[in-house]
Amino acid sequence: MNETDAKKRFIYGALLGALILAACLLLVLQEKAKPVLFPEFSASDALDGGADCYLNALQVLDRYAEEPDRKNPSELLLVSYRDRDENEVLLSLLVEPDEALYARLSPYYAGGEAKREMVTLSGYFFCEPLNAHNKGATSAFDADAQEYIAWKGEEGIAMNPVVLRFAGATETDYEAARRGKNLGNVLTVVVLFVLAAACGVRLLTLKKKTA
């Protein structure tokens, strides 16, 4: 076996292992996402970005960032809820232009302090760490949250760097949204396994060639 074939076998073997590992990890992560009920929250571990959740009184406070260079940008809003100990927790809500919620929250997108009624949302939400969505959004969230805390002048307001996506007001809506979200993951797993199979076939071909 020459050096070139040995390198090719190593590369295809490494790719095969990496693709199978990635597919398996994606399957595991897909099964981890389960709805967490609002009464189970506490001030210290309310949301960690690792599971979906249900909130029964999420108050939308302010828009603090948007996706640049888009005609209809996605919006990041500062929101708050009360945990089971009645402590206020600040986090983020991401709204895309194709969501029904986008039009309802449009008064928040205007510049300045336009008068508006505060919107309160109830329902199921997808949740992930804020820095996983947009690393630059973390500093913008920190600045807006700190400004809100200073304006409110209250002790014990917590900042939680996670971002929510509205998944539906009812359990039926949530399950439908979850299936749609998971479809992309399933297709990704299929593609990964197909690529792994192709690498496996190529690896077997090289073995036969060098035998």
Side-chain angles (χ1 to χ4, degrees), residues 171-184:
E171 186 174 358
T172 301
D173 294 337
Y174 164 70
E175 289 298 337
R178 189 166 179 239
R179 284 194 297 271
K181 182 182 179 184
N182 287 344
L183 179 60

Side-chain angles (χ1 to χ4, degrees), residues 187-206:
L187 292 175
T188 302
V189 169
V190 171
V191 171
L192 288 173
F193 275 123
V194 169
L195 292 173
C199 286
V201 170
R202 182 58 179 161
L203 191 59
L204 289 173
T205 303
L206 285 171

Side-chain angles (χ1 to χ4, degrees), residues 141-162:
F141 165 74
D142 289 344
D144 205 49
Q146 292 286 4
E147 185 177 337
Y148 172 80
I149 292 171
W151 169 79
K152 196 129 188 218
E154 294 182 7
E155 297 289 336
I157 299 177
M159 294 166 53
N160 194 344
V162 299

Side-chain angles (χ1 to χ4, degrees), residues 1-210:
M1 180 173 60
N2 61 47
E3 186 177 348
T4 300
D5 287 339
K7 287 181 179 179
K8 287 181 179 179
R9 285 181 59 181
F10 175 78
I11 291 171
Y12 281 111
L15 281 173
L16 176 61
L19 289 167
I20 291 175
L21 178 62
C24 291
L25 284 174
L26 191 56
L27 285 172
V28 170
L29 290 173
Q30 179 175 316
E31 289 303 313
K32 277 182 65 178
K34 302 295 181 183
V36 180
L37 297 179
F38 175 78
E40 297 175 3
F41 291 158
S42 65
S44 60
D45 61 356
L47 295 170
D48 62 4
D52 302 339
C53 62
Y54 179 87
L55 296 173
N56 61 14
L58 183 73
Q59 188 173 48
V60 184
L61 302 173
D62 186 29
R63 191 279 300 273
Y64 71 84
E66 67 178 18
E67 196 74 27
D69 303 323
R70 287 173 57 178
K71 183 178 180 181
N72 294 312
S74 57
E75 304 287 350
L76 278 165
L77 299 110
L78 184 71
V79 293
S80 74
Y81 73 96
R82 296 275 175 179
D83 64 19
R84 68 180 180 187
D85 299 319
E86 286 301 309
N87 296 316
E88 187 173 7
V89 183
L90 302 176
L91 30 72
S92 296
L93 176 69
L94 174 67
V95 187
E96 297 284 2
D98 58 350
E99 296 178 39
L101 198 60
Y102 189 89
R104 182 180 173 187
L105 298 178
S106 60
Y108 287 91
Y109 314 150
E113 295 295 326
K115 289 186 178 180
R116 57 175 181 267
E117 291 185 7
M118 289 293 181
V119 173
T120 299
L121 304 174
S122 296
Y124 291 88
F125 296 84
F126 299 125
C127 180
E128 66 179 8
L130 181 58
N131 60 9
H133 169 71
N134 186 329
K135 292 182 179 180
T138 304
S139 58
F141 165 74
D142 289 344
D144 205 49
Q146 292 286 4
E147 185 177 337
Y148 172 80
I149 292 171
W151 169 79
K152 196 129 188 218
E154 294 182 7
E155 297 289 336
I157 299 177
M159 294 166 53
N160 194 344
V162 299
V163 62
L164 304 177
R165 287 281 304 271
F166 187 63
T170 67
E171 186 174 358
T172 301
D173 294 337
Y174 164 70
E175 289 298 337
R178 189 166 179 239
R179 284 194 297 271
K181 182 182 179 184
N182 287 344
L183 179 60
N185 290 339
V186 171
L187 292 175
T188 302
V189 169
V190 171
V191 171
L192 288 173
F193 275 123
V194 169
L195 292 173
C199 286
V201 170
R202 182 58 179 161
L203 191 59
L204 289 173
T205 303
L206 285 171
K207 283 185 177 180
K208 288 180 180 179
K209 180 181 175 182
T210 57

